[in-house]
Amino acid sequence: MKDADTTPSAFCAKLLEPNAKNIQYCAQALEEGQLVAFPTETVFGLGAAVTQLSAVRGVFRVKGRPSQHPLIVHVAPGANLNGWVAQITPIMQRLMNAFWPGPLTLVVPKGNNMPLEVTGGQTSVGIRCPSHPVAVELLRATGVPVAAPSANRFGKVSPTCAAHVLIELGDQIPFVLNGTAPEVGIESTIISLLNDQPAVLRPGAITADEIQTVLNIRVQTFAEVSKTQNTNPRVSGALEKHYSPDARVLLLEADELIDWPVLEPTLCVGWTDAFLAQAQALSQQHGRVMLVKALANNPLHVAQNLYSLLRQADELNCQQIWFEKPAIQPSWEAIINRLERAASS
Ligand code: TXA
Ligand code: MG
């Protein structure tokens, strides 16, 4: 008997292994206006061909994302951007040469062919060329750019494997293309080239320092941008609560651990000896209620594991997640950003 409270599922997503035949098949599905989730080196994306407006609207519907939040557009290496962006300025070209394919999204004036549905009504577009081999092959096989936000429900944790996509959106989309785990693990750095001074709108694996070195001009950091940002968020990751699991997330230093009640179960994630020793001591004191996870003290490694740990905590019905507070350093900025959003309530 059917449960009267459940909405009927439109799809039961097919998980496709990324061989040449399936990639071709998915490219055709995109061109025909279907949604395809696929791996990138940052997180899995939920793709729609930019020219298929009902598919683009479908992305917003499936994610539960407000329609004024623009989607990132993905292109293959060496793709002709004519008509999709207004022009390729020398600065844009230099960043493309240095960081594409890779986890850098450029916000630039859009071209005439780029639909406003994709850009959330804005005259600018966020565009990037991913490096994951499956994404590259899919984009090469698809004749047009592919709009793809992270393949999760709006405000939730981005997926870093096909299983995460299937669990969250499997009844909403027809195809999920499989692929190796993202090397980066958190979303791309977004840099706006709309004003004289380039500005980081979302921190990621590529830092403001690295961009500045390539351009040889001053780049506004994310911290500087956040201070001046107006209340209308153009970057949905800039909303207060985002990337959030069901469990309560707390950012703590080693000597603060002792002050917090151990709710059962608690997941405790850290990387320094002091934090891990304190967590182990508490864990022994409280029996089986705490799960202590040690990561390498390296922001790239923490990024790779961050989202799967947040999801794991929910699978284990954790009441809270204690994350070690990272050092305030440029290389940790993207991690701090994601953890602070996950922790805000
Ligand atoms: O790593 C990534 O960028 C992943 C993978 C799938 O490529 N995609 C991703 O997309 O994170 P999404 O939709 O979750 O985040 C896109 C962000 C949004 O916060 C959006 O507001 C911003 O990019 N964005 C896109 N176009 C923009 C524009 N024209 N101006 C300002 N922000 C823009
Ligand atoms: Mg997202």
Side-chain angles (χ1 to χ4, degrees), residues 270-273 295-299 301-302 332:
W271 39 85
T272 64
D273 292 344
L295 295 176
N297 188 357
N298 168 342
H301 180 78
V302 174
W332 284 90

Side-chain angles (χ1 to χ4, degrees), residues 279-322:
Q280 291 294 356
L282 274 180
S283 174
Q284 271 152 23
Q285 207 175 313
H286 291 271
R288 293 184 298 137
V289 290
M290 285 183 67
L291 301 142
V292 180
K293 172 84 186 169
L295 295 176
N297 188 357
N298 168 342
L300 300 178
H301 180 78
V302 174
Q304 272 176 348
N305 291 281
L306 180 61
Y307 289 154
S308 62
L309 281 168
L310 294 180
R311 278 176 188 266
Q312 217 177 321
D314 281 348
E315 281 157 23
L316 296 169
N317 285 319
C318 285
Q319 297 219 37
Q320 53 181 4
I321 313 170
W322 293 349

Side-chain angles (χ1 to χ4, degrees), residues 39 45 71 85 92 119 123 153 171 212 231-232 238 274 291 316:
L71 305 176
V85 301
M92 187 181 174
T119 66
T123 54
R153 303 270 312 159
D171 60 349
Q212 203 157 274
T231 47
N232 182 20
L291 301 142
L316 296 169

